[in-house]
């Protein structure tokens, strides 16, 4: 199954990104710091969303319009500081087909799974506002992930297809990690 293979073959890139994110989270001391941190997520996710939009259709993923997206990040930032400005420049992998789009979406949807940990880390520093993005799908998070992985498992028709999805997922993790090199919290 592609969902198991992609998890294993992106493990290193995922861990490297996670390490950077946790390091930046630990440095957050105020709502302003948190809003600045969220701007990196917002800039990256909104850019990736624009790139995958032509390929992630209702036919492919029927509930894609109900899924969490960068608008949650925008609202979280606005709730904290009232405006979204000074966004970092973003570089993402190229997206030219549904396989690449699903590789990128794997990273974005997978970020939901760690959201509750991020919320707990923020709460320890007294930050309880602006967490709608990291709150994921609440009680339906597992169901949403199962729907996504079922689609993912059926999208690749060959080993070459699987490699394309996995390569794009790895690039998506790496580009996001590189963006965090510019965070100055």
């Amino acid at each position: 199954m592609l969902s198991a293979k992609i998890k294993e073959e992106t493990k290193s890139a995922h861990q490297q990104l996670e390490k950077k994110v946790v390091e930046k989270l630990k440095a957050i001391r105020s709502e302003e710091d948190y809003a600045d941190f969220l701007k990196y997520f917002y800039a990256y996710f909104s850019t990736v969303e624009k790139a995958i939009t032509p390929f992630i259709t209702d036919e492919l993923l029927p509930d894609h319009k109900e899924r969490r997206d960068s608008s949650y990040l925008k609202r979280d930032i606005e709730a904290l500081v009232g405006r979204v400005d000074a966004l970092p420049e973003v570089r993402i992998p190229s997206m030219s087909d549904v396989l690449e789009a699903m590789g990128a979406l794997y990273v974005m949807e997978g970020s939901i799974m760690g959201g509750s940990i991020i919320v707990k880390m923020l709460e320890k520093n007294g930050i309880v506002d602006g967490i709608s993005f990291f709150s994921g799908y609440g009680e339906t998070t597992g169901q949403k992930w199962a729907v996504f992985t079922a689609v993912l498992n059926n999208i690749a028709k060959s080993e070459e297809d699987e490699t394309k999805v996995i390569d794009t997922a790895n690039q998506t993790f790496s580009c996001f990690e590189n963006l965090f090199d510019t965070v100055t919290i």
Side-chain angles (χ1 to χ4, degrees), residues 90-144:
V90 173
R91 186 181 73 78
I92 65 168
S94 67
M95 305 288 159
S96 61
D97 62 31
V98 69
L99 296 167
E100 291 169 340
M102 285 297 287
L105 190 56
Y106 170 82
V107 175
M108 295 171 70
E109 284 294 316
S111 70
I112 296 165
M113 305 311 276
S116 62
I117 295 166
I118 290 173
V119 169
K120 287 177 186 166
M121 288 179 73
L122 292 166
E123 287 173 347
K124 286 181 182 178
N125 285 331
I127 297 171
V128 295
D129 292 324
I131 59 169
S132 69
F133 179 78
F134 291 120
S135 296
Y137 303 120
E139 293 178 10
T140 63
T141 298
Q143 293 169 322
K144 290 280 193 188

Side-chain angles (χ1 to χ4, degrees), residues 126-163:
I127 297 171
V128 295
D129 292 324
I131 59 169
S132 69
F133 179 78
F134 291 120
S135 296
Y137 303 120
E139 293 178 10
T140 63
T141 298
Q143 293 169 322
K144 290 280 193 188
W145 182 247
V147 168
F148 174 76
T149 57
V151 171
L152 180 70
N153 287 331
N154 288 315
I155 198 74
K157 304 300 182 204
S158 66
E159 195 166 315
E160 184 178 276
D161 287 354
E162 288 183 352
T163 298

Side-chain angles (χ1 to χ4, degrees), residues 169-181:
N170 271 315
Q171 291 171 35
T172 304
F173 277 123
S174 295
C175 287
F176 199 22
E177 178 200 353
N178 292 339
L179 179 62
F180 276 96
D181 287 336

